[in-house]
Amino acid sequence: MTNKIFMLMTFIGVPLSVIGSLMHWPTMILFIIYCLSIVALASYMGRATESLAIVAGPRIGGLLNATFGNAVELIISIFSLKAGLIGVVLASLTGSVLGNLLLVAGLSFFVGGIKFKRQLFNVHDARHNSGLLMFAIIVAFVIPEVFSMNMNETKTLSLSVGISIILIALYLAALFFKLVTHRGVYQTEESEAAAENGHHEEEPEWGKGKSILILLLSTLAVAYISENLVHTFHYVAEAFGWTELFIGVIIVAIVGNAAEHASAIVMAYKNKMDIAVEIAVGSTLQIAMFVAPVLVLISLLFEKKMPLVFTLPELITMVTSVLLMVVISNDGESNWFEGLTLLAAYFIMGIGFYLL
Amino acid sequence: MTNKIFMLMTFIGVPLSVIGSLMHWPTMILFIIYCLSIVALASYMGRATESLAIVAGPRIGGLLNATFGNAVELIISIFSLKAGLIGVVLASLTGSVLGNLLLVAGLSFFVGGIKFKRQLFNVHDARHNSGLLMFAIIVAFVIPEVFSMNMNETKTLSLSVGISIILIALYLAALFFKLVTHRGVYQTEESEAAAENGHHEEEPEWGKGKSILILLLSTLAVAYISENLVHTFHYVAEAFGWTELFIGVIIVAIVGNAAEHASAIVMAYKNKMDIAVEIAVGSTLQIAMFVAPVLVLISLLFEKKMPLVFTLPELITMVTSVLLMVVISNDGESNWFEGLTLLAAYFIMGIGFYLL
Amino acid sequence: MTNKIFMLMTFIGVPLSVIGSLMHWPTMILFIIYCLSIVALASYMGRATESLAIVAGPRIGGLLNATFGNAVELIISIFSLKAGLIGVVLASLTGSVLGNLLLVAGLSFFVGGIKFKRQLFNVHDARHNSGLLMFAIIVAFVIPEVFSMNMNETKTLSLSVGISIILIALYLAALFFKLVTHRGVYQTEESEAAAENGHHEEEPEWGKGKSILILLLSTLAVAYISENLVHTFHYVAEAFGWTELFIGVIIVAIVGNAAEHASAIVMAYKNKMDIAVEIAVGSTLQIAMFVAPVLVLISLLFEKKMPLVFTLPELITMVTSVLLMVVISNDGESNWFEGLTLLAAYFIMGIGFYLL
């Protein structure tokens, strides 16, 4: 049902995006077409990834999900960097962190929790992720903020580059840990059984080849539309009285992460909390430890360089979200109220960014 | 024994409060009479609540205890708001949070821990409460502080009102979770057994009707005395060289929370740690998620509106207290040293506010 | 092998230190000789302590290790205070906290984790330590920072002295708790067994008398060299373009804590994680709850008094390190990746202090 809607949106939205941008339709209409097209394309990317994930097992599957959800994010950000919109990029990184940690996880916990009284997920993975969240947000993002107060621009950029390289290195080490040296070490018996059942129960929607083709095509389409989307921000901000901060934190983040939203919630509803949490938290980690530092390094190629220095509201919302998530996920189980708590935190931050 | 002292204090203090305020006795003497009377009345409220609590079981009992301990707080604050003392209200909210989290819980852990080597409490409740503490203090109180730096007064107030509504909504959802959808879900076998034994062992001091009557009468008396008490603050602050901040954070908070102090410590001494923790942490949550936002909304009726923006020392002491409590209560057990640690934190903050 | 190197370094370094300082050799050469001599002497202190520790059991052993590792720190700091180098003392306290929590623990987890897939340590001790870390760093160090913003110098010093006394009192209470009232209460069966085996397996390197003599002699030598070392800081800072902050945080801390580094890593490699963690975290706690407040009190005897107010970068790095360590050690087990995460945090901070 929703798949048909997304199919319609894609086959109408993508051509309209091309025609509209060539014919210089009104910016506001283009903005809406672009956003809806990206959401629809992201859904295709999500489903193609899910098909691949079923073949590859729940863990790699979650990783794949997170990667291609963030491909959209990465593509939009590169075009924003090229256009010199440093503020929008930092804001949309913030928005992705908040969106994944609070909105995606919150909706997953809430929707899953309405169907099931208590939902369990692998407590070892949750703690491993908590350590990484603390490292990436509380250490790697907070340090340059505080130190750059007493630094000139060159030193701030050097610090940002140094931290970015360390972040990427640790991210790769984390993959090595998870997939090589400690593969399955922390897996509980139930989750192993669940994983095995998952293999037998589920049929992939598309074959491997078709999945990869769809992934490729939708990625290209997302790239094309993103480049155009970025140039509408300024106009939309003025028209609605929104700040570029609000567009970055809330709008871009929701559009860019729609795929994860959808698939994480579906997984939670099927009581596959390991995958739902992996998508939400894994995606946050990928944004913080991979997408953000990669963008810092890529920005060195452009005229305007991007230091890893967020505005204070951006930083504080990320820090408090991480602390909240660490405490809530620490026991390896969730319920509807924990989901509602995360959502309430998201709304509070949304109001804040809207009024700022 | 102590009950007789409180009876004496009430039957001497309340008439003296009335006579003294009508005859305009020296302000310092009135301040002392008012404070002692409220402490004594709060003890009556506490015992009436405890009687009701025995009938209602430990969980609702703890909730009742916290509610009526905070009735005193709420009443004093409304009269302070009416007198335009925004700073005193925010300070006394801070003081209640610190007092409950550090002083009440600290004394409970310490006194109980001297009698028992290790005391256990429900770890699920502790973690549920930790999540709420993080949400209320770290998210809902920190966000307006940071965002309001770049906002005008109107926007700050809008943000405060928005956050207040979300806080109250989540507080009601938390009650719904605890009392309806997840009632007893996280109860351990021991605590169930303990709860059942509790019912049989203990006799309520007063019957249901008498308890309610006493609650009603002492609430009225507290309201009358609070209105007079509020107007002595300015004079007392000058006479002792105290700031209004110190009066709010330490004096009002101790006077207003004496009831919880007493009953939580008694429960800890009887090794009923579930109730002691419920009183201390539950009361903190009620202050942060119910009393504070309700006061923000009530302040809209008065000339001077109260935004949810604390001073930096107030905010930081609350944030650090929550982090300390979350880490200490995370394992679901306590001992005398953990109590002493909480008390030491309270003393450090007390010295700070005294010197400020 | 390494022992022979340290022996050579001691028997060459100490005489050279004396001769060099009397003959006014170039400062840079003296600085290097002093540093290497202290590292070598600290190794003697470490091994003497280890010998004593084997006799005394793992817990007291860990305590002894931490104490004499920090003797070097304390001695250097007293001479720095005497020379009026308040900033260097605060920086080297910061450096010791960071060095122990991130570098020592990080290397221990990493080196141990390469040999063993999962290493366990006593989760009760870890949580007890987490509570103390929160208290010492997040409460006792953060409060004066925030409150002193609105205080004059006299009040800031009064607050510092008050907090220092409370810190020392709680530190003594912690020892009383650990060694008297709750001795062995939280010991797991395995760790008891391991401790017993440890007694039988290991032979102390030196006898009790010889150990104490070596401890005494090396302490005296360290004191003599430290006094000279302190006066080279200014010159070295200028020569290398380093700030005094960087010297304090990184150089002094590494030189002063070399002993702990060595012995903690050796313990981790032998899979005695209880001792390794006790050295790293116990040493941090001793710095924060004993060395720092004692130095505040000692500074009252000198012309320049030292308040307990760190610079913002110092404070934030300590706070974030504690939060990271609390989350990582919370489950009572470690692996190579957790070690790498701690090391990555240390490198990020090191880059920051270098560029500052």
Side-chain angles (χ1 to χ4, degrees):
Chain A
M1 176 58 203
T2 51
N3 286 355
K4 284 198 181 148
I5 294 175
F6 281 132
M7 193 173 77
L8 262 176
M9 278 167 68
T10 305
F11 285 104
I12 297 177
V14 176
L16 278 188
S17 298
V18 178
I19 298 167
S21 78
L22 292 177
M23 296 182 60
H24 300 286
W25 290 359
T27 317
M28 188 57 69
I29 289 173
L30 286 176
F31 173 76
I32 294 167
I33 294 174
Y34 295 157
C35 285
L36 293 177
S37 304
I38 291 181
V39 168
L41 285 164
S43 133
Y44 269 93
M45 292 173 75
R47 281 154 59 206
T49 323
E50 219 179 300
S51 296
L52 287 174
I54 289 170
V55 182
R59 202 165 299 227
I60 310 273
L63 211 69
L64 276 174
N65 265 311
T67 310
F68 284 93
N70 292 322
V72 176
E73 181 73 30
L74 189 64
I75 294 163
I76 300 181
S77 293
I78 291 174
F79 286 111
S80 299
L81 277 182
K82 206 180 136 202
L85 302 170
I86 305 289
V88 172
V89 173
L90 289 170
S92 75
L93 288 170
T94 306
S96 290
V97 168
L98 301 182
N100 281 303
L101 269 190
L102 301 179
L103 190 57
V104 178
L107 276 173
S108 301
F109 286 5
F110 185 73
V111 170
I114 280 177
K115 200 169 160 201
F116 303 95
K117 200 151 246 173
R118 296 167 79 169
Q119 294 188 295
L120 302 179
F121 44 89
N122 188 322
V123 73
H124 283 291
D125 281 359
R127 285 174 182 167
H128 173 78
N129 286 337
S130 290
L132 284 174
L133 283 175
M134 296 299 288
F135 173 78
I137 313 283
I138 311 275
V139 174
F141 285 4
V142 169
I143 299 294
E145 182 92 8
V146 174
F147 279 67
S148 68
M149 288 177 194
N150 302 312
M151 278 180 180
N152 60 31
E153 243 173 74
T154 322
K155 285 191 170 179
T156 300
L157 200 64
S158 304
L159 181 59
S160 300
V161 170
I163 292 177
S164 297
I165 292 168
I166 294 176
L167 274 168
I168 295 171
L170 198 69
Y171 185 70
L172 297 178
L175 290 181
F176 186 69
F177 176 81
K178 211 170 188 173
L179 302 175
V180 183
T181 71
H182 283 64
R183 180 169 193 164
V185 169
Y186 298 108
Q187 216 155 6
T188 55
E189 280 173 40
E190 302 93 62
S191 67
E192 269 177 72
E196 272 174 41
N197 282 331
H199 280 249
H200 298 286
E201 264 175 34
E202 278 195 318
E203 281 295 304
E205 190 180 354
W206 302 311
K208 200 175 163 186
K210 193 174 175 191
S211 300
I212 291 174
L213 184 71
I214 290 175
L215 254 183
L216 208 76
L217 285 180
S218 35
T219 303
L220 281 177
V222 164
Y224 172 79
I225 299 176
S226 294
E227 171 144 41
N228 291 305
L229 174 66
V230 163
H231 292 100
T232 65
F233 289 161
H234 183 67
Y235 178 85
V236 174
E238 265 191 10
F240 279 106
W242 292 345
T243 57
E244 288 200 356
L245 196 67
F246 183 72
I247 292 193
V249 174
I250 306 295
I251 306 301
V252 175
I254 288 183
V255 170
N257 292 301
E260 281 115 312
H261 291 222
S263 53
I265 295 163
V266 168
M267 289 300 163
Y269 193 74
K270 292 180 184 167
N271 206 18
K272 303 193 173 178
M273 289 311 283
D274 275 355
I275 307 183
V277 171
E278 182 63 41
I279 294 173
V281 180
S283 179
T284 309
L285 286 173
Q286 209 192 26
I287 291 286
M289 300 185 72
F290 189 73
V291 176
V294 161
L295 288 171
V296 168
L297 298 182
I298 288 178
S299 85
L300 299 178
L301 305 173
F302 297 121
E303 204 181 339
K304 263 190 155 178
K305 324 292 186 216
M306 184 175 81
L308 201 58
V309 178
F310 294 88
T311 65
L312 197 58
E314 288 170 349
L315 188 71
I316 294 292
T317 48
M318 285 192 281
V319 166
T320 56
S321 304
V322 165
L323 292 175
L324 185 63
M325 182 47 118
V326 166
V327 169
I328 280 186
S329 67
N330 181 42
D331 57 357
E333 66 171 271
S334 67
N335 53 55
W336 68 263
F337 182 72
E338 288 186 351
L340 198 64
T341 306
L342 294 172
L343 291 174
Y346 189 73
F347 282 119
I348 286 179
M349 294 171 189
I351 297 175
F353 281 112
Y354 178 76
L355 288 172
L356 207 64
Chain B
M1 177 58 203
T2 51
N3 286 354
K4 282 196 182 151
I5 295 174
F6 281 132
M7 194 173 77
L8 262 177
M9 277 167 68
T10 306
F11 285 105
I12 297 177
V14 176
L16 279 188
S17 297
V18 179
I19 297 167
S21 79
L22 292 176
M23 294 181 62
H24 299 288
W25 289 0
T27 316
M28 191 56 71
I29 290 172
L30 286 177
F31 173 76
I32 295 166
I33 293 175
Y34 295 156
C35 286
L36 293 177
S37 305
I38 290 180
V39 169
L41 285 164
S43 134
Y44 269 94
M45 292 173 76
R47 282 154 60 205
T49 323
E50 219 180 300
S51 296
L52 287 174
I54 290 170
V55 182
R59 200 166 298 226
I60 310 273
L63 210 70
L64 276 173
N65 265 312
T67 311
F68 283 93
N70 291 322
V72 176
E73 180 75 28
L74 190 63
I75 294 164
I76 300 181
S77 293
I78 291 175
F79 285 110
S80 299
L81 277 184
K82 206 180 135 201
L85 303 170
I86 304 289
V88 172
V89 173
L90 289 171
S92 75
L93 288 171
T94 305
S96 291
V97 167
L98 301 182
N100 281 303
L101 268 191
L102 302 179
L103 189 58
V104 178
L107 277 174
S108 301
F109 286 4
F110 185 72
V111 170
I114 280 177
K115 202 169 158 201
F116 303 94
K117 199 149 248 172
R118 294 167 78 171
Q119 294 188 294
L120 302 178
F121 45 89
N122 189 321
V123 72
H124 283 291
D125 282 359
R127 284 173 182 170
H128 174 78
N129 286 337
S130 290
L132 284 174
L133 283 175
M134 297 299 288
F135 173 78
I137 313 283
I138 311 275
V139 174
F141 285 4
V142 169
I143 299 294
E145 183 91 9
V146 174
F147 279 68
S148 69
M149 287 176 194
N150 301 314
M151 277 181 180
N152 60 31
E153 244 174 74
T154 323
K155 285 191 169 179
T156 302
L157 201 65
S158 303
L159 180 59
S160 301
V161 170
I163 292 177
S164 297
I165 292 168
I166 294 175
L167 274 168
I168 295 172
L170 197 70
Y171 185 69
L172 296 178
L175 290 182
F176 186 68
F177 176 81
K178 210 171 190 175
L179 303 175
V180 182
T181 72
H182 283 63
R183 180 170 192 162
V185 168
Y186 297 108
Q187 217 153 7
T188 55
E189 279 173 40
E190 304 93 65
S191 67
E192 269 178 72
E196 272 174 40
N197 283 332
H199 279 249
H200 297 288
E201 263 175 35
E202 278 194 318
E203 281 294 304
E205 189 180 356
W206 301 313
K208 197 175 165 188
K210 195 174 174 189
S211 300
I212 293 175
L213 185 70
I214 291 175
L215 254 183
L216 207 76
L217 285 179
S218 37
T219 303
L220 281 177
V222 164
Y224 172 80
I225 298 175
S226 294
E227 171 145 41
N228 290 305
L229 174 67
V230 164
H231 292 100
T232 65
F233 288 161
H234 184 68
Y235 178 86
V236 174
E238 266 191 8
F240 279 105
W242 292 345
T243 57
E244 289 200 355
L245 196 68
F246 183 72
I247 292 193
V249 174
I250 307 296
I251 307 299
V252 174
I254 288 182
V255 170
N257 293 301
E260 280 116 314
H261 291 222
S263 53
I265 295 162
V266 168
M267 288 302 161
Y269 194 74
K270 291 180 185 167
N271 207 15
K272 303 191 173 178
M273 290 311 283
D274 275 355
I275 307 185
V277 171
E278 181 65 40
I279 294 174
V281 180
S283 179
T284 309
L285 287 173
Q286 209 192 26
I287 291 286
M289 299 186 71
F290 188 72
V291 176
V294 161
L295 288 171
V296 168
L297 298 182
I298 288 178
S299 85
L300 299 178
L301 306 173
F302 297 121
E303 205 180 338
K304 264 191 155 177
K305 324 295 186 214
M306 184 174 83
L308 201 59
V309 178
F310 294 88
T311 66
L312 196 59
E314 288 170 349
L315 188 71
I316 293 292
T317 48
M318 286 192 282
V319 166
T320 55
S321 304
V322 165
L323 292 175
L324 184 62
M325 182 46 118
V326 165
V327 169
I328 282 185
S329 67
N330 182 42
D331 58 356
E333 65 172 273
S334 68
N335 53 54
W336 68 263
F337 183 72
E338 288 186 352
L340 198 63
T341 305
L342 294 172
L343 291 174
Y346 189 74
F347 282 119
I348 286 179
M349 294 172 189
I351 297 175
F353 282 111
Y354 179 77
L355 288 172
L356 207 65
Chain C
M1 177 59 204
T2 51
N3 286 354
K4 283 198 181 149
I5 295 175
F6 281 132
M7 195 173 75
L8 262 176
M9 278 166 68
T10 306
F11 285 105
I12 298 176
V14 175
L16 278 188
S17 298
V18 178
I19 297 166
S21 78
L22 292 176
M23 295 182 61
H24 300 287
W25 288 1
T27 317
M28 189 57 68
I29 290 172
L30 286 177
F31 173 76
I32 294 167
I33 294 175
Y34 295 157
C35 285
L36 293 177
S37 305
I38 289 181
V39 168
L41 285 165
S43 134
Y44 270 92
M45 292 173 75
R47 281 155 60 206
T49 323
E50 219 180 300
S51 296
L52 287 174
I54 289 169
V55 182
R59 202 166 298 226
I60 311 272
L63 211 69
L64 276 174
N65 263 313
T67 310
F68 284 93
N70 291 321
V72 176
E73 180 76 29
L74 189 63
I75 294 165
I76 301 182
S77 294
I78 291 174
F79 286 111
S80 298
L81 278 183
K82 207 180 136 202
L85 302 170
I86 305 290
V88 172
V89 174
L90 289 171
S92 75
L93 289 171
T94 305
S96 291
V97 168
L98 301 182
N100 281 302
L101 269 191
L102 302 179
L103 190 57
V104 179
L107 277 173
S108 301
F109 286 5
F110 186 73
V111 170
I114 280 177
K115 198 167 161 204
F116 303 95
K117 199 150 248 177
R118 295 166 78 171
Q119 294 189 295
L120 302 178
F121 45 89
N122 188 321
V123 73
H124 284 291
D125 282 359
R127 284 174 182 168
H128 173 79
N129 286 338
S130 289
L132 284 174
L133 283 175
M134 296 300 288
F135 173 78
I137 313 284
I138 311 275
V139 175
F141 286 4
V142 169
I143 299 293
E145 182 92 8
V146 174
F147 279 69
S148 68
M149 288 177 194
N150 302 313
M151 277 180 181
N152 59 32
E153 243 174 73
T154 323
K155 285 191 170 178
T156 300
L157 201 65
S158 304
L159 180 59
S160 301
V161 170
I163 292 177
S164 296
I165 293 168
I166 293 176
L167 274 168
I168 296 171
L170 197 70
Y171 185 70
L172 297 177
L175 290 181
F176 186 69
F177 176 81
K178 210 170 189 174
L179 303 176
V180 184
T181 73
H182 283 63
R183 180 170 192 163
V185 167
Y186 297 107
Q187 215 153 7
T188 55
E189 278 173 42
E190 303 93 63
S191 66
E192 270 177 72
E196 271 175 41
N197 283 332
H199 279 249
H200 297 285
E201 264 175 34
E202 278 196 318
E203 281 295 304
E205 189 180 356
W206 302 312
K208 198 174 164 186
K210 193 173 174 192
S211 300
I212 292 175
L213 184 71
I214 291 176
L215 254 183
L216 208 75
L217 286 180
S218 36
T219 303
L220 282 177
V222 165
Y224 172 80
I225 298 175
S226 295
E227 172 144 41
N228 291 305
L229 174 67
V230 164
H231 292 101
T232 65
F233 288 161
H234 183 67
Y235 177 85
V236 174
E238 265 191 9
F240 279 106
W242 292 345
T243 57
E244 290 201 354
L245 196 68
F246 183 73
I247 292 194
V249 173
I250 305 297
I251 306 301
V252 175
I254 288 182
V255 169
N257 293 301
E260 281 117 312
H261 290 221
S263 52
I265 294 163
V266 168
M267 289 300 162
Y269 194 74
K270 292 180 186 167
N271 207 16
K272 302 192 174 180
M273 290 310 284
D274 276 354
I275 307 185
V277 171
E278 182 64 40
I279 294 174
V281 180
S283 179
T284 309
L285 287 173
Q286 208 191 26
I287 291 286
M289 299 186 70
F290 189 71
V291 175
V294 161
L295 287 171
V296 169
L297 298 182
I298 287 178
S299 85
L300 299 179
L301 306 173
F302 297 121
E303 205 181 338
K304 263 191 155 177
K305 323 295 185 214
M306 184 176 81
L308 200 59
V309 178
F310 293 88
T311 66
L312 197 59
E314 289 169 350
L315 189 70
I316 294 291
T317 47
M318 285 192 282
V319 165
T320 56
S321 304
V322 165
L323 291 175
L324 185 62
M325 183 46 120
V326 166
V327 168
I328 281 186
S329 67
N330 181 44
D331 57 357
E333 65 172 271
S334 68
N335 53 54
W336 69 263
F337 183 72
E338 288 186 352
L340 197 64
T341 305
L342 294 172
L343 291 174
Y346 189 73
F347 282 119
I348 285 180
M349 294 171 189
I351 297 175
F353 281 112
Y354 178 78
L355 288 172
L356 207 65

